[in-house]
Amino acid sequence: MALGNKPHSGNPAQAVPTSSPAKVPTNNSPNFMETLVTWAFKVLTFPLWIVTTIISQLLTPGAAGATFLGKLLFIFLVVLSSDSYWQVLFQNKPLFPWYETTWTGYRYETLWMGWDWLPSLSLFPPRISLGLFANITFYLCLGISFVIQMFESAFVTGSKFGKLNPKMIGLIAIAFWGFDIIMTFASRNPWRYEDPQQILMCILFNVFTIACAELGRWGEKVLAGKQ
């Protein structure tokens, strides 16, 4: 065999040139209708997204919104439980209208209407009110309610309250509950009604106001993710 006729030892596939596939022209311009529908959907669902985000924040234990809601709930229930002390101890009008003949709330007079909780000015007749938030007695009443409810809550949950032992906390809580029951039923006497349903509803409301701050304390811990 002649040297010039030596067989080729390379890969035959490399020897045959292959043709590249033809490129299909693509349209890079945005689809106007698709973009319009996408943004319309985003705009229409944006309020729903806000609502669901807020609800998720408020109901997820440990979230900032849930923690804030728990503290706000506890403060409101402490104020609600202090209403009976406000009426009986300080001889003031009720803070809330439920099962009351009158209350410290909405007032309408000539050239003035508003809330007695807030500062107000009336010309006819001349009257200036600083509102409840400027009343030292109001904060004193809240302080009394807060201390009472904290002792009762500590007894119910078994948590510590300062350096007092559980037995002492229990005795103080029982005394406070007796005081709380007397104040509550003295401020809202259910037997002043004649309708049995009204009597029952007023009794249930009184029981709720006695225990509402303890429930608020428990709810605050749950929403803060501590229980």
Side-chain angles (χ1 to χ4, degrees):
M1 181 183 294
L3 295 175
N5 294 330
K6 186 178 180 180
H8 183 69
S9 60
N11 190 351
Q14 293 179 352
V16 180
T18 58
S19 60
S20 60
K23 294 183 178 180
V24 179
T26 57
N27 186 10
N28 295 326
S29 61
N31 189 319
F32 175 76
M33 289 302 299
E34 182 179 351
T35 304
L36 180 63
V37 171
T38 301
W39 278 102
F41 178 77
K42 290 181 178 180
V43 171
L44 291 175
T45 58
F46 183 70
L48 180 62
W49 176 81
I50 293 179
V51 172
T52 54
T53 301
I54 293 174
I55 293 176
S56 176
Q57 274 287 317
L58 294 178
L59 298 182
T60 302
T67 303
F68 173 76
L69 179 63
K71 294 184 181 298
L72 190 64
L73 176 66
F74 176 66
I75 292 173
F76 170 73
L77 292 179
V78 167
V79 176
L80 179 60
S81 66
S82 69
D83 193 7
S84 57
Y85 316 139
W86 176 255
Q87 294 182 50
V88 179
L89 296 180
F90 302 102
Q91 296 297 307
N92 289 309
K93 291 193 300 182
L95 298 175
F96 300 98
W98 304 300
Y99 296 98
E100 306 290 356
T101 56
T102 182
W103 69 295
T104 304
Y106 184 77
R107 179 192 293 267
Y108 176 78
E109 295 179 356
T110 307
L111 299 180
W112 180 85
M113 63 180 179
W115 294 87
D116 279 352
W117 283 70
L118 304 175
S120 60
L121 173 65
S122 176
L123 299 179
F124 301 100
R127 186 177 71 90
I128 297 177
S129 174
L130 297 179
L132 288 180
F133 293 111
N135 191 333
I136 298 178
T137 308
F138 176 69
Y139 294 100
L140 178 61
C141 183
L142 291 183
I144 295 173
S145 176
F146 178 77
V147 172
I148 290 176
Q149 303 304 331
M150 290 301 292
F151 267 103
E152 295 175 353
S153 176
F155 176 72
V156 172
T157 59
S159 55
K160 296 182 179 179
F161 195 91
K163 297 182 179 180
L164 297 176
N165 58 59
K167 183 177 180 180
M168 183 60 67
I169 293 175
L171 292 175
I172 296 175
I174 292 173
F176 279 155
W177 264 315
F179 174 76
D180 209 357
I181 292 172
I182 293 173
M183 293 293 103
T184 301
F185 280 85
S187 62
R188 285 180 298 273
N189 181 12
W191 288 277
R192 64 187 174 184
Y193 299 105
E194 296 181 357
D195 185 3
Q197 184 177 358
Q198 287 283 350
I199 296 174
L200 178 61
M201 294 300 294
C202 187
I203 291 175
L204 293 177
F205 180 74
N206 285 348
V207 172
F208 170 74
T209 57
I210 292 171
C212 65
E214 294 96 298
L215 295 174
R217 184 63 174 170
W218 174 80
E220 179 189 10
K221 291 182 178 181
V222 171
L223 291 174
K226 297 180 180 179
Q227 281 191 355

